[in-house]
Amino acid sequence: MKKQFIVIGLGRFGSSVATALASAGNDVLGVDTSESLVEDMAPFLTHAVQADATEEKSLKALGITNFDVAVVAIGGDIQASIMVTMLLKELGVPKVVVKAQSDIHAKVLERIGADKIVFPERDMGNKLALNLASENIIDFIEVSPDYSMMEVDTVRKWVGKTLSDLNFRQSYHVNIIAIKKSNGDININPSATDAIEENDSMIVVGLNEDIRKLVDYITRHK
Ligand code: ATP
């Protein structure tokens, strides 16, 4: 069954989360106190409603218990952000993701049960830094705070060797989930007998620390 999303606060962050979710085919209800923002966003979302989400009766009227995920994208008004998060958890929304403005704000959100706290500018900055820090890293996806998925180059001395020969699982504790060829072809189910060819890259999953060690090795042996 499709997941139901509610995005509260349709400023820059909220509206981009809401439109991205909707264009990926999800059901998305956007909520904002501003009528003009709601009107602007309505064509892009499943529904858009003008309401004050700090009011319990408004949330109930929106059928809040039917939503699987809520995104609280109220930045400026910390008190409102806390109030809304608390109500959403009290009313039983399984996953509440909240945009935090400061460390103290994040701490309070954590205490009242926010399931995920994001700092859009800070998080994006960290990701960009990781991407820029090594030219081996073609792309980087945070799977959880500790685990990531990353596309890394291969080194010349691996060419002709199989994944079994190289045994990345043993030496780096990472899993190779795909091998990408220089012509763009991708093997998404690599087996132990598949060999690395010149200019291949690999998509690996593992602990950030282990991936960092592998990237260090690649940088030193290029
Ligand atoms: P941006 O995502 O643009 O950086 P911001 O962090 O500056 O936003 P605000 O502009 O303060 O955050 O809030 C985002 C949106 O949340 C605004 O459009 C505002 O109208 C809406 N908003 C604020 N309080 C509430 C509320 N109680 N209920 C619903 N929407 C609200």
Side-chain angles (χ1 to χ4, degrees):
M1 226 173 74
K2 264 204 276 185
K3 273 193 184 164
Q4 306 291 313
F5 293 86
I6 179 166
V7 177
I8 297 170
L10 298 172
R12 286 169 306 171
F13 178 66
S15 60
S16 59
V17 172
T19 39
L21 284 168
S23 51
N26 298 291
D27 284 335
V28 183
L29 168 64
V31 178
D32 203 292
T33 41
S34 151
E35 189 151 6
S36 65
L37 271 181
V38 167
E39 272 169 23
D40 290 348
M41 291 303 298
F44 306 105
L45 309 178
T46 319
H47 297 288
V49 172
Q50 192 241 327
D52 181 349
T54 58
E55 290 174 4
E56 186 170 351
K57 63 175 186 325
S58 306
L59 291 177
K60 283 186 173 157
L62 294 171
I64 199 67
T65 49
N66 298 321
F67 290 91
D68 305 293
V69 182
V71 178
V72 183
I74 302 172
D77 188 346
I78 291 181
Q79 195 173 321
S81 152
I82 292 168
M83 185 68 198
V84 173
T85 305
M86 209 164 72
L87 284 172
L88 293 172
K89 285 318 291 181
E90 273 174 17
L91 295 168
V93 178
K95 182 161 184 166
V96 179
V97 181
V98 194
K99 167 181 160 165
Q101 200 69 277
S102 65
D103 289 330
I104 293 176
H105 183 194
K107 216 166 224 164
V108 176
L109 293 170
E110 208 179 289
R111 284 274 167 86
I112 59 173
D115 300 283
K116 187 173 169 67
I117 296 161
V118 294
F119 290 90
E121 287 90 357
R122 197 189 290 183
D123 296 347
M124 193 58 216
N126 283 339
K127 273 185 195 164
L128 182 63
L130 262 166
N131 267 307
L132 296 174
S134 165
E135 57 186 26
N136 292 302
I137 302 164
I138 301 158
D139 211 345
F140 166 85
I141 296 168
E142 190 181 78
V143 178
S144 78
D146 299 327
Y147 287 86
S148 302
M149 189 187 297
M150 218 175 248
E151 186 175 337
V152 299
D153 283 346
T154 53
V155 298
R156 188 152 289 166
K157 63 193 273 193
W158 293 346
V159 172
K161 298 216 164 93
T162 64
L163 292 185
S164 157
D165 296 333
L166 294 164
N167 204 352
F168 293 107
R169 203 172 283 161
Q170 171 114 42
S171 42
Y172 288 97
H173 312 113
V174 297
N175 277 306
I176 311 298
I177 59 162
I179 299 177
K180 211 163 124 184
K181 304 284 156 201
S182 51
N183 67 1
D185 286 352
I186 186 155
N187 171 0
I188 54 147
N189 191 17
S191 66
T193 53
D194 285 334
I196 300 291
E197 292 172 9
E198 189 120 21
N199 298 323
D200 279 357
S201 64
M202 309 185 299
I203 297 175
V204 303
V205 176
L207 273 173
N208 295 334
E209 186 55 30
D210 292 326
I211 293 183
R212 198 155 32 235
K213 283 182 192 152
L214 176 64
V215 169
D216 276 353
Y217 178 90
I218 294 167
T219 312
R220 280 187 280 109
H221 291 84
K222 267 188 99 174

Coordinates of all heavy atoms in Angstrom, one line a residue, residues 7-16 31-35 37 49-55 59 72-81 83-84 99-101 120-121, ligand 1:
V7 N 3.0 17.0 5.1 CA 4.2 17.9 5.2 C 3.6 19.2 5.8 O 2.7 19.9 5.2 CB 4.9 18.2 3.9 CG1 6.0 19.2 4.1 CG2 5.4 16.9 3.3
I8 N 4.1 19.6 7.0 CA 3.5 20.8 7.7 C 4.6 21.9 7.6 O 5.7 21.7 8.1 CB 3.2 20.4 9.2 CG1 2.1 19.3 9.2 CG2 2.8 21.6 10.0 CD1 1.8 18.7 10.5
G9 N 4.2 23.0 7.0 CA 5.1 24.1 6.7 C 5.5 24.0 5.3 O 6.2 23.0 4.9
L10 N 5.1 24.9 4.5 CA 5.4 24.8 3.0 C 6.3 26.0 2.6 O 6.2 26.6 1.6 CB 4.1 24.8 2.2 CG 3.2 23.6 2.4 CD1 1.9 23.8 1.7 CD2 3.8 22.3 2.0
G11 N 7.4 26.2 3.5 CA 8.4 27.2 3.1 C 9.3 26.5 2.1 O 8.9 25.6 1.4
R12 N 10.6 27.0 2.0 CA 11.5 26.5 1.0 C 11.7 25.0 1.2 O 11.6 24.2 0.2 CB 12.8 27.2 1.0 CG 12.7 28.6 0.4 CD 14.0 29.4 0.7 NE 14.2 29.3 2.1 CZ 15.4 29.8 2.7 NH1 16.3 30.3 1.9 NH2 15.5 29.8 4.0
F13 N 12.0 24.6 2.4 CA 12.3 23.2 2.7 C 11.1 22.3 2.6 O 11.1 21.3 1.8 CB 12.9 23.1 4.1 CG 13.2 21.7 4.5 CD1 14.2 21.0 3.8 CD2 12.6 21.0 5.5 CE1 14.5 19.6 4.2 CE2 12.8 19.7 5.9 CZ 13.8 19.0 5.2
G14 N 10.0 22.7 3.3 CA 8.8 21.9 3.2 C 8.2 21.7 1.8 O 7.8 20.6 1.4
S15 N 8.2 22.8 1.0 CA 7.6 22.7 -0.3 C 8.5 21.8 -1.2 O 8.0 21.1 -2.0 CB 7.4 24.1 -0.9 OG 8.6 24.7 -1.1
S16 N 9.8 21.8 -1.0 CA 10.6 21.0 -1.9 C 10.5 19.5 -1.5 O 10.5 18.6 -2.3 CB 12.1 21.4 -2.0 OG 12.7 21.5 -0.8
V31 N 0.4 21.3 4.4 CA -0.4 22.1 5.3 C 0.4 23.4 5.6 O 1.6 23.3 5.9 CB -0.7 21.4 6.7 CG1 -1.4 22.3 7.7 CG2 -1.4 20.1 6.4
D32 N -0.2 24.5 5.6 CA 0.5 25.8 6.0 C -0.6 26.7 6.5 O -1.8 26.6 6.1 CB 1.2 26.4 4.8 CG 2.4 27.3 5.3 OD1 2.1 28.4 5.9 OD2 3.5 26.9 5.1
T33 N -0.2 27.6 7.4 CA -1.1 28.7 7.9 C -1.3 29.7 6.8 O -2.3 30.4 6.8 CB -0.5 29.4 9.1 OG1 0.8 29.6 8.9 CG2 -0.8 28.6 10.4
S34 N -0.4 29.8 5.8 CA -0.5 30.8 4.8 C -1.4 30.3 3.7 O -1.0 29.3 3.0 CB 0.9 31.2 4.3 OG 0.8 31.6 3.0
E35 N -2.5 31.1 3.4 CA -3.4 30.7 2.4 C -2.7 30.8 1.0 O -2.9 29.9 0.1 CB -4.6 31.6 2.4 CG -5.7 31.1 1.5 CD -7.1 31.4 2.0 OE1 -7.2 32.2 3.0 OE2 -8.1 31.0 1.4
L37 N 0.4 30.4 0.2 CA 1.4 29.3 0.0 C 0.6 28.0 -0.4 O 1.0 27.3 -1.2 CB 2.2 29.0 1.2 CG 3.5 29.8 1.4 CD1 4.3 29.5 2.6 CD2 4.4 29.5 0.1
V49 N -3.9 22.1 2.3 CA -4.9 22.7 3.2 C -4.3 23.8 4.1 O -3.2 23.7 4.6 CB -5.4 21.6 4.1 CG1 -6.4 22.1 5.2 CG2 -6.1 20.5 3.3
Q50 N -5.1 24.9 4.3 CA -4.7 25.9 5.1 C -5.2 25.6 6.6 O -6.4 25.4 6.8 CB -5.3 27.3 4.7 CG -4.7 28.5 5.4 CD -5.7 29.3 6.1 OE1 -6.9 29.3 5.8 NE2 -5.2 29.9 7.2
A51 N -4.2 25.4 7.5 CA -4.6 25.1 8.9 C -3.4 25.5 9.8 O -2.3 25.5 9.4 CB -4.9 23.6 9.0
D52 N -3.7 25.7 11.1 CA -2.7 25.9 12.1 C -2.5 24.5 12.7 O -3.3 24.0 13.5 CB -3.2 26.9 13.1 CG -2.1 27.2 14.1 OD1 -1.1 26.4 14.2 OD2 -2.3 28.2 14.9
A53 N -1.3 24.0 12.5 CA -1.0 22.6 12.9 C -0.7 22.5 14.4 O -0.6 21.4 15.0 CB 0.1 22.0 12.1
T54 N -0.6 23.7 15.1 CA -0.5 23.6 16.6 C -1.8 23.3 17.3 O -1.8 23.1 18.5 CB 0.1 24.9 17.1 OG1 -0.8 26.0 16.8 CG2 1.5 25.2 16.6
E55 N -2.9 23.4 16.5 CA -4.2 23.1 17.1 C -4.6 21.6 16.9 O -4.7 21.1 15.8 CB -5.3 24.0 16.4 CG -5.1 25.4 16.9 CD -6.0 26.3 16.1 OE1 -6.9 25.8 15.3 OE2 -5.9 27.6 16.3
L59 N -5.5 19.1 13.5 CA -4.8 17.9 13.0 C -5.8 16.7 13.0 O -5.8 15.9 12.0 CB -3.7 17.6 14.0 CG -2.5 18.5 14.0 CD1 -1.5 18.1 15.1 CD2 -1.8 18.5 12.6
V72 N 7.7 17.9 9.7 CA 7.5 19.2 10.3 C 8.6 20.1 9.8 O 9.7 20.0 10.2 CB 7.5 19.1 11.8 CG1 7.1 20.5 12.4 CG2 6.5 18.0 12.3
A73 N 8.2 21.0 8.9 CA 9.1 21.9 8.2 C 8.9 23.3 8.6 O 8.9 24.2 7.8 CB 9.1 21.7 6.7
I74 N 8.6 23.5 9.9 CA 8.4 24.9 10.5 C 9.8 25.3 11.1 O 10.3 24.6 12.0 CB 7.4 24.9 11.6 CG1 6.0 24.4 11.0 CG2 7.2 26.3 12.2 CD1 5.0 24.2 12.1
G75 N 10.4 26.3 10.5 CA 11.8 26.6 11.0 C 11.8 27.7 12.0 O 12.2 27.5 13.2
G76 N 11.2 28.9 11.6 CA 11.4 30.1 12.4 C 10.7 30.0 13.8 O 11.3 30.4 14.8
D77 N 9.5 29.4 13.8 CA 8.8 29.4 15.1 C 9.0 28.1 15.8 O 8.3 27.1 15.7 CB 7.3 29.6 14.7 CG 6.4 29.7 16.0 OD1 6.9 29.5 17.1 OD2 5.2 30.1 15.8
I78 N 10.1 28.1 16.7 CA 10.5 26.9 17.3 C 9.4 26.3 18.2 O 9.2 25.1 18.3 CB 11.8 27.2 18.1 CG1 13.0 27.4 17.1 CG2 12.2 26.0 19.1 CD1 14.3 27.6 17.7
Q79 N 8.7 27.2 18.9 CA 7.6 26.8 19.8 C 6.6 26.0 19.0 O 6.1 25.0 19.5 CB 7.0 28.0 20.4 CG 6.2 27.7 21.6 CD 5.7 29.0 22.3 OE1 6.5 29.9 22.5 NE2 4.5 29.0 22.8
A80 N 6.2 26.5 17.8 CA 5.2 25.9 17.0 C 5.7 24.5 16.6 O 5.0 23.5 16.6 CB 4.8 26.7 15.8
S81 N 7.0 24.5 16.2 CA 7.6 23.2 15.7 C 7.5 22.1 16.8 O 7.2 21.0 16.5 CB 9.0 23.5 15.2 OG 9.9 22.4 15.4
M83 N 5.5 22.1 19.5 CA 4.1 21.8 19.8 C 3.5 20.8 18.7 O 2.9 19.8 19.1 CB 3.3 23.2 19.7 CG 1.9 23.1 20.1 SD 1.8 22.7 21.8 CE 0.1 22.1 21.9
V84 N 3.8 21.1 17.5 CA 3.2 20.2 16.4 C 3.8 18.8 16.5 O 3.1 17.8 16.4 CB 3.5 20.8 15.0 CG1 3.2 19.9 13.9 CG2 2.8 22.2 14.8
K99 N 12.5 19.4 11.0 CA 13.6 20.2 10.7 C 14.0 21.0 11.9 O 13.1 21.7 12.5 CB 13.2 21.2 9.5 CG 14.1 22.3 9.3 CD 13.6 23.2 8.2 CE 14.3 24.6 8.3 NZ 14.1 25.4 7.2
A100 N 15.2 20.9 12.3 CA 15.6 21.7 13.5 C 16.4 22.9 13.2 O 17.0 23.0 12.1 CB 16.5 20.8 14.4
Q101 N 16.3 23.9 14.1 CA 16.9 25.2 13.8 C 18.3 25.3 14.6 O 19.1 26.1 14.2 CB 16.0 26.3 14.3 CG 16.2 27.6 13.7 CD 15.8 27.7 12.3 OE1 16.7 27.3 11.4 NE2 14.6 28.1 11.9
P120 N 18.8 20.8 7.4 CA 19.0 20.8 6.0 C 20.3 21.4 5.6 O 21.1 20.7 4.8 CB 17.8 21.5 5.4 CG 16.8 21.4 6.4 CD 17.4 21.3 7.8
E121 N 20.7 22.6 6.1 CA 21.9 23.2 5.6 C 23.1 22.4 6.1 O 24.0 22.2 5.3 CB 22.0 24.7 6.1 CG 21.1 25.6 5.3 CD 19.7 25.8 6.0 OE1 19.5 25.1 7.0 OE2 18.9 26.6 5.5
Ligands
ATP1 P1 12.3 27.6 4.9 O1 12.0 26.1 4.7 O2 11.7 28.4 3.9 O3 13.8 27.8 5.2 P2 11.9 28.5 7.6 O4 12.8 27.6 8.2 O5 12.3 29.9 7.5 O6 11.5 28.0 6.2 P3 9.3 29.3 8.4 O7 9.3 30.2 7.2 O8 9.3 29.9 9.7 O9 10.6 28.4 8.3 O10 8.2 28.2 8.3 C1 7.9 27.5 7.2 C2 6.5 27.5 6.9 O11 5.8 26.9 8.0 C3 5.9 28.9 6.6 O12 5.3 28.9 5.3 C4 4.9 29.0 7.7 O13 3.7 29.7 7.3 C5 4.5 27.6 8.1 N1 4.0 27.5 9.5 C6 4.5 28.2 10.6 N2 3.8 27.8 11.7 C7 2.8 27.0 11.3 C8 1.8 26.3 11.9 N3 1.5 26.4 13.2 N4 1.0 25.5 11.2 C9 1.2 25.3 9.8 N5 2.2 25.9 9.2 C10 3.0 26.8 9.9

